[in-house]
Amino acid sequence: MTSHNSSSPTNPGHGENPTHRADPASPLFGRRSLLRGALAVAGVAALPALSACSSSKSGGGSEASNAVSFGSNAAVPEPKGAYQTLFAAAKKATGLDINVNWVDHNTFQQNITTYLQGNPQDVFNWFAGERMQYFAGQGLVSNVNDVWDKIGGSYTDAMKAQSKGSDGNYYFVPFDYYPWAVFYSKSLWASKGYTAPTTWDEYIALAKKMKADGLIPIAFTDKDGWPAMGTFDYLNMRMNGYEFHINLMRTGQGWNTSKVSAVFDQWRQLIPYYSPGFLGLTWQEGANQILNKQAGMMVLGLDQIGTIFTGSNADDLGFFAFPEIDPANGQDSVEAPIDGFMVAKSPKNAAGATKLLEYLGTAAAQQLWLGSNPADIATASGVDTSKYTKPQTAAISLINSAKHLSQFMDRDTLPSFADPVMLPAIQKFLSSPGEASSILSNIDAQAKTIWATNG
Amino acid sequence: MTAATVTGSPTAADAAASAPGRRRRRLRPARAFLHAFLIATCVVWIAPVLYALYTSLRPYADTAKDGYVSVGGHYNLGNYTNAWNEADLPLYFKNSAIITIPALLITLWLASMVAFVVARHSFKFNLLMLMIFTAGNLLPQQAIITPLYKLYITIPLPSWLSDSGHLDDSFFGLILIHVAFQTGFCVFVLSNFMRTVPNEITEAARVDGASEWRQYRQVVLPLCRPALAALATLEFTWIYNDFFWATVLMQTGSNRPITAALNNLTGQFFTDNNLIAAASMIVAIPTLVVFFALQKQFVSGLTLGANKG
């Protein structure tokens, strides 16, 4: 009986007890049709997949000199559209078909090592500074000296220096960049009669005044972790100078010194003026405090806050250089992260990659890409600046006034040090400012281990 | 205890008299506390989803002005249409189907065969095999990714299976790793379930002359339907929701599954959380459909194995 009853589902027509079968029958039917539907979907889905395989294979595999593959980190709609316009123009100018692999920014960045070892595209998005030199040093990218023979004339020496590996070869073609500064709402400042401070004492005095006026003096947020690095970089460059800062970033030596602990002492003076609950706020919330005139000023990059001040608000965005602390250093350094392109170790179409980069290195290409984007500026000289917004024009003069350009902490130091060590260390400092000395000795110990294993 | 006192006083008069009182008795502190606890837990679980749903109905400009914890402004489905078009969701749903459905079917098929052998025969290596399968399942994915990736980029595949010519960056490679990783758990569950099927059934089938294959396919497998349905629900959710393998082992952005498409809405710095909330709502739908379609089997599958020891 048991065996008969149990084996009946194999043979549905054979069931002799209809009342017994009635109960499971309806869900069974639903499940079956669902499974059948799923199989149909799988079948339908598999067909275009196979045809897609063959079509994209013919695209990527064609060694003809008119196709270049491009690994983009701009899958998000806004820069993606700008890149699509740019690549269409590049096809017109160079005759190259550009096959793009769109990947989102964070995934691209996190997977860069595996990406470069696997099957990378000929040309890909990347950053200047140590981030670039690290992969150049590992031999995972090709040099682009022949591109620079053509485009070299339209770049400043500071820009050239940021595009070279430690062996003196060029590995990077700059495209767009933006400065870090202290941003504010011009209309708010005009109504309150504030003026931009140039020294630390004026900066603190202004913050006090804003607090008395019922504003949040400094919009500061640290949920994301990385925006706080900008404040550290500026404090360090203003107090200890550019050379010290860059050596600290590149070598990882000297974290547990009085010079660095003085930076954290200085930083502690700012904390009372920060947004309430800043450890739980994202930079977007902080930037909205500026936009909504709840907060007075904010240390951030134009590329970030420029996406908040858009449209009619674009020209309301004002900024000033991070104030001077030590007159010996003045305001001579500007943090200006540069984005651009690199070429993979063994591109399928090296000549095409060079040709594409020669085009992307021109002011015309960069201006086309920028379009109405108010958050970045072009790296090549010869751009029609009349199309820039006021903040963009001001950004150019800020950067041109600088003696040194830094790239931001997470681009100037080892990738394995910036986010895993410094990001949580700064968060810990901000939540318990009294423990700076133990935090610094901890950073120092980890830096030693990381640089020892990275040679 | 409560039940005992209520039913323990059996006179009819008492029962009639206490009928209105019984309702009051139910509202004892313990019971009130239980309900308060259940409601609170329910709210804690549902709140994030409702919050995301609420956010997804509001345009970014309103929440940027008033903050996310606010009422008022516009409410519309604009984020949904934007998410559907901008994130190219149909393409990524297709990719997810290409990966999830074969992986799911192959996993269940292979696991049921291993489970059949482990459960219906008493070979000496059975326990060892089961231990290896379960142990493999406990291994964290992140721990093996580096050697696995090196393997993937060195194993060649014919070009009709993979654009890159390697296991890496191909649908086949992704399906393979899901099958490899999920089979262990499925074997564990299915073999436990198959042990509850009485031995007499297969003995009877053997007496009737059924081969090993036929016993598996026509006797044991149909009996495992509840367990298979339960596993199918779980495995579908796991494979569908996978982000780790998909991002590491698939370099071509347009071949990644739906979870990666969600990330495509995240900018380098700027993130439109309202848009992402809307996209997340859309992406969650297939899991819900599978769950509700299979939920009856899901529940009976979980309990069937428990009470038939």
Side-chain angles (χ1 to χ4, degrees):
Chain A
M1 181 58 204
T2 326
S3 68
H4 182 85
N5 216 354
S6 312
S7 60
S8 68
T10 30
N11 204 349
H14 204 252
E16 49 167 8
N17 189 348
T19 51
H20 183 77
R21 293 195 57 240
D23 183 33
S26 55
L28 266 182
F29 184 75
R31 185 188 62 84
R32 276 204 180 150
S33 55
L34 186 110
L35 279 181
R36 218 173 282 136
L39 283 173
V41 168
V44 169
L47 283 176
L50 288 176
S51 59
C53 280
S54 51
S55 70
S56 62
K57 181 178 47 128
S58 60
S62 69
E63 309 275 321
S65 60
N66 66 340
V68 177
S69 57
F70 188 97
S72 169
N73 63 1
V76 69
E78 217 164 299
K80 184 178 175 180
Y83 273 112
Q84 280 168 331
T85 315
L86 175 68
F87 290 150
K91 184 175 162 54
K92 243 181 227 167
T94 62
L96 291 164
D97 280 318
I98 297 145
N99 300 326
V100 191
N101 176 22
W102 303 102
V103 174
D104 79 271
H105 197 275
N106 295 332
T107 307
F108 189 89
Q109 194 160 318
Q110 280 157 16
N111 286 345
I112 186 71
T113 311
T114 50
Y115 172 77
L116 290 177
Q117 288 174 43
N119 196 21
Q121 275 72 34
D122 297 349
V123 182
F124 60 94
N125 281 110
W126 202 240
F127 317 106
E130 172 71 26
R131 278 269 179 100
M132 170 269 291
Q133 297 192 340
Y134 179 78
F135 295 104
Q138 300 220 322
L140 288 168
V141 291
S142 311
N143 76 59
V144 290
N145 293 334
D146 38 355
V147 177
W148 277 89
D149 290 342
K150 267 255 177 77
I151 64 170
S154 39
Y155 289 89
T156 61
D157 286 342
M159 206 63 84
K160 283 177 182 163
Q162 293 290 351
S163 306
K164 283 181 190 166
S166 45
D167 60 359
N169 287 317
Y170 287 104
Y171 286 96
F172 180 80
V173 173
F175 191 64
D176 64 292
Y177 69 146
Y178 61 91
W180 276 67
V182 189
F183 289 87
Y184 59 87
S185 159
K186 279 184 193 163
S187 53
L188 174 73
W189 277 39
S191 70
K192 302 270 183 188
Y194 301 142
T195 50
T198 54
T199 65
W200 182 261
D201 292 338
E202 289 171 18
Y203 187 49
I204 296 289
L206 178 63
K208 269 191 188 131
K209 202 168 156 204
M210 287 175 170
K211 200 164 198 177
D213 288 346
L215 291 168
I216 300 165
I218 302 174
F220 183 87
T221 61
D222 203 32
K223 194 179 177 187
D224 322 276
W226 58 265
M229 292 174 174
T231 301
F232 175 87
D233 290 348
Y234 267 131
L235 286 170
N236 196 26
M237 288 193 293
R238 294 289 185 260
M239 293 170 72
N240 299 320
Y242 177 79
E243 293 304 324
F244 179 86
H245 176 68
I246 284 299
N247 279 332
L248 184 69
M249 293 293 124
R250 294 275 157 100
T251 64
Q253 283 172 4
W255 278 98
N256 204 4
T257 56
S258 57
K259 279 185 148 183
V260 180
S261 76
V263 170
F264 283 94
D265 290 339
Q266 194 87 4
W267 199 343
R268 213 174 285 130
Q269 298 178 33
L270 291 177
I271 296 177
Y273 304 107
Y274 280 170
S275 308
F278 62 82
L279 285 170
L281 296 175
T282 64
W283 74 261
Q284 275 174 255
E285 290 169 297
N288 276 318
Q289 289 177 346
I290 301 286
L291 180 71
N292 296 332
K293 302 182 179 31
Q294 296 161 325
M297 46 195 173
M298 182 174 197
V299 178
L300 203 64
L302 178 64
D303 193 41
Q304 290 93 44
I305 201 161
T307 60
I308 302 295
F309 278 75
T310 52
S312 56
N313 290 319
D315 280 342
D316 190 37
L317 182 64
F319 63 85
F320 59 89
F322 196 86
E324 169 190 309
I325 299 172
D326 182 345
N329 300 313
Q331 296 173 308
D332 66 351
S333 309
V334 170
E335 188 130 271
I338 306 168
D339 290 358
F341 311 104
M342 289 173 86
V343 175
K345 183 174 57 180
S346 41
K348 291 193 180 76
N349 183 356
T354 304
K355 216 166 147 191
L356 175 63
L357 288 179
E358 283 168 2
Y359 173 73
L360 295 177
T362 62
Q366 293 173 6
Q367 185 130 41
L368 179 70
W369 178 83
L370 280 174
S372 57
N373 167 10
D376 295 292
I377 52 179
T379 51
S381 54
V383 172
D384 177 10
T385 50
S386 67
K387 286 179 184 148
Y388 278 170
T389 60
K390 280 178 192 159
Q392 280 174 308
T393 317
I396 296 178
S397 54
L398 175 70
I399 288 171
N400 287 342
S401 72
K403 269 207 313 225
H404 311 285
L405 294 184
S406 62
Q407 288 300 296
F408 202 71
M409 182 186 285
D410 67 0
R411 299 184 183 193
D412 280 326
T413 190
L414 286 179
S416 52
F417 178 69
D419 285 357
V421 179
M422 282 312 293
L423 196 151
I426 290 176
Q427 278 177 328
K428 191 163 180 229
F429 162 74
L430 289 165
S431 64
S432 37
E435 290 173 31
S437 64
S438 76
I439 293 169
L440 278 175
S441 57
N442 189 13
I443 294 175
D444 192 54
Q446 293 193 65
K448 284 193 173 113
T449 329
I450 288 170
W451 263 271
T453 52
N454 276 289
Chain B
M1 181 64 191
T2 319
T5 47
V6 171
T7 56
S9 50
T11 67
D14 263 8
S18 66
R22 200 179 285 170
R23 190 169 289 158
R24 208 177 301 136
R25 248 180 229 166
R26 284 218 174 126
L27 283 171
R28 281 179 166 184
R31 198 165 177 82
F33 176 78
L34 175 71
H35 278 265
F37 173 76
L38 289 178
I39 290 167
T41 319
C42 213
V43 167
V44 167
W45 276 89
I46 289 179
V49 182
L50 291 182
Y51 189 31
L53 183 68
Y54 177 67
T55 303
S56 72
L57 295 171
R58 313 178 68 191
Y60 176 78
D62 285 358
T63 47
K65 199 161 116 269
D66 305 332
Y68 282 96
V69 192
S70 61
V71 185
H74 305 79
Y75 296 93
N76 55 47
L77 295 175
N79 286 320
Y80 285 87
T81 50
N82 281 350
W84 183 263
N85 297 326
E86 286 182 8
D88 215 354
L89 289 185
L91 168 76
Y92 291 96
F93 271 126
K94 191 191 83 188
N95 291 344
S96 273
I98 294 173
I99 296 163
T100 309
I101 295 169
L104 181 66
L105 294 178
I106 298 171
T107 304
L108 291 181
W109 179 54
L110 292 179
S112 64
M113 295 211 289
V114 178
F116 177 76
V117 172
V118 170
R120 309 307 290 184
H121 296 274
S122 43
F123 295 130
K124 281 208 174 101
F125 61 82
N126 274 2
L127 189 65
L128 183 71
M129 198 150 83
L130 201 57
M131 274 164 67
I132 290 172
F133 268 95
T134 317
N137 199 58
L138 297 175
L139 210 63
Q141 303 175 336
Q142 288 80 354
I144 62 156
I145 187 61
T146 308
L148 185 78
Y149 182 75
K150 297 269 180 200
L151 272 180
Y152 262 53
I153 56 176
T154 47
I155 294 175
L157 276 191
S159 57
W160 59 272
L161 260 179
S162 156
D163 287 347
S164 60
H166 298 286
L167 206 47
D168 168 50
D169 201 19
S170 69
F171 284 121
F172 184 75
L174 264 188
I175 294 170
L176 198 66
I177 193 64
H178 281 302
V179 171
F181 244 84
Q182 301 302 339
T183 303
F185 174 74
C186 292
V187 166
F188 179 71
V189 172
L190 281 175
S191 69
N192 279 351
F193 185 83
M194 284 182 190
R195 270 185 236 281
T196 66
V197 176
N199 253 328
E200 289 81 355
I201 297 175
T202 38
E203 274 168 13
R206 213 170 296 150
V207 168
D208 286 348
S211 66
E212 212 49 42
W213 172 249
R214 194 165 173 160
Q215 288 174 40
Y216 157 75
R217 201 172 61 83
Q218 290 192 310
V219 179
V220 173
L221 206 54
L223 291 174
C224 288
R225 266 202 276 207
L228 287 173
L231 275 179
T233 317
L234 273 178
E235 292 294 329
F236 179 86
T237 316
W238 288 344
I239 298 174
Y240 179 81
N241 280 340
D242 165 69
F243 184 62
F244 180 71
W245 295 127
T247 46
V248 181
L249 298 178
M250 185 66 98
Q251 263 86 53
T252 307
S254 57
N255 283 350
R256 286 190 171 145
I258 194 86
T259 40
L262 275 186
N263 248 31
N264 284 349
L265 292 174
T266 313
Q268 177 177 6
F269 301 114
F270 174 78
T271 303
D272 183 346
N273 287 315
N274 309 40
L275 187 67
I276 296 210
S280 308
M281 289 290 149
I282 299 174
V283 168
I285 290 172
T287 333
L288 291 178
V289 168
V290 169
F291 177 77
F292 285 115
L294 295 182
Q295 80 166 324
K296 221 164 197 169
Q297 276 85 352
F298 181 62
V299 174
S300 66
L302 285 182
T303 50
L304 260 177
N307 57 15
K308 262 201 190 171

